[in-house]
Amino acid sequence: MNTDLLTLGFIGYGNMAQAMAQGLVDAGVLPGGRIVACAAHYDRLVERTTRLGVRPMHSGTEVAAAADLVILAVKPGQVTHVCEPIRHELADPDRMVLSVVGGMTIEDYADILEEGTHLICAIPNTPISVGQGILVTQEEDTLTDQERELFTQIFDPVAMIERLPRELVSVGTTIAGCAPAYTAMYMEALADAGVEHGLPRQAAYRLAARMVQGTGALYMATGTNPGAMKDAVCSPGGTTIKGVASLEKHGFRGAVIEAIDEVERGD
């Protein structure tokens, strides 16, 4: 099957599912009419699906019947409840299942889905909505080779697919999925400093956002070690190294590392 024939279905249509749908439609991977979705509150679902032309449905049973790729996008505590009535439909050999449920791995689904279900677990981040996402994907899956190719064909236009072994998915997800919030805080702080020194607020935000985008693009294009990228901007006795020294004095790196550690500890 290719994407020209595929229907994609969301069980759960919260913020992340909406971000995925937005990215796929805007990138031309699928038209909204070939995406279906169900959620707990049907009236709210109708409001959320109208703009993209996504088809709202009343139940997971309807979604499973309509979709070739079913995306489980509910909270972890809801997975068993939503899967139980459709276990047999999800195990159809012509159907793929993608779990984007935080913290759930292939092993966690062993007692939830029927044996033989074609399942892959992955966690996207919100920039997928603008085609600049990351999809942290568990290496271990139960897809066929053809289905893995189709998975890549669907999501490669909107996200970098990073495949990791089960034991590393959590930290990979933390960096990819939580750090957009930390990066937004950094951008906001840069903009506040710019405003303090006279920049208009929106100009300061644009400069900070483009700088973050460009720095990431430079690394992706060259593979240059980030430390070397930093060194290249720091002339001896110059202004940039003074700012770097100030960040070091105030524990910038340590604060970032501790933020990741805190999430991984689950405190």
Side-chain angles (χ1 to χ4, degrees):
M1 177 180 292
N2 59 45
T3 57
D4 293 334
L5 303 174
L6 180 117
T7 296
L8 184 150
F10 288 98
I11 296 181
Y13 200 66
N15 290 338
M16 189 57 72
Q18 291 174 68
M20 295 175 73
Q22 182 77 59
L24 291 169
V25 171
D26 287 352
V29 176
L30 290 170
R34 283 204 282 113
I35 300 175
V36 300
C38 70
H41 302 286
Y42 185 76
D43 291 345
R44 192 181 306 167
L45 174 68
V46 172
E47 294 176 1
R48 291 175 171 176
T49 54
T50 297
R51 186 173 56 84
L52 289 179
V54 172
R55 291 183 284 151
M57 297 198 160
H58 289 90
S59 68
T61 301
E62 292 183 5
V63 169
D68 305 292
L69 169 58
V70 175
I71 300 180
L72 301 174
V74 296
K75 291 180 171 58
Q78 299 172 319
V79 171
T80 300
H81 173 72
V82 301
C83 289
E84 182 60 32
I86 55 172
R87 292 175 77 242
H88 184 68
E89 288 80 0
L90 294 180
D92 186 319
D94 293 325
R95 181 168 290 115
M96 296 166 55
V97 180
L98 165 62
S99 168
V100 295
V101 181
M104 296 287 289
T105 66
I106 293 290
E107 293 75 13
D108 295 321
Y109 282 98
D111 296 326
I112 298 173
L113 299 177
E114 289 186 5
E115 186 177 354
T117 302
H118 294 194
L119 173 68
I120 186 168
C121 293
I123 300 295
N125 64 0
T126 51
I128 198 170
S129 66
V130 292
Q132 296 292 324
I134 299 172
L135 203 60
V136 177
T137 306
Q138 185 180 345
E139 281 182 348
E140 303 87 356
D141 62 51
T142 56
L143 302 185
T144 66
D145 290 342
Q146 185 177 10
E147 287 170 338
R148 289 187 196 97
E149 291 178 7
L150 180 59
F151 177 84
T152 300
Q153 185 181 350
I154 294 167
F155 290 106
D156 191 57
V158 295
M160 180 184 77
I161 300 171
E162 187 70 26
R163 290 179 169 84
L164 295 173
R166 177 182 58 81
E167 65 272 16
L168 296 179
V169 167
S170 176
V171 66
T173 298
T174 298
I175 291 173
C178 298
Y182 313 153
T183 305
M185 292 171 67
Y186 174 51
M187 288 166 53
E188 184 180 37
L190 289 173
D192 283 347
V195 171
E196 180 186 11
H197 289 276
L199 276 176
R201 170 67 63 179
Q202 293 305 312
Y205 279 145
R206 286 194 298 271
L207 290 168
R210 186 65 174 187
M211 178 280 302
V212 170
Q213 180 186 35
T215 302
L218 180 61
Y219 173 80
M220 295 300 291
T222 66
T224 302
N225 184 289
M229 291 171 64
K230 179 263 296 178
D231 290 348
V233 188
C234 294
S235 302
T239 55
T240 303
I241 192 61
K242 293 176 182 176
V244 168
S246 178
L247 289 173
E248 294 284 17
K249 183 171 68 175
H250 289 89
F252 179 75
R253 294 182 202 232
V256 173
I257 293 170
E258 180 59 25
I260 302 299
D261 290 346
E262 187 75 15
V263 176
E264 287 300 292
R265 283 194 296 266
D267 294 346

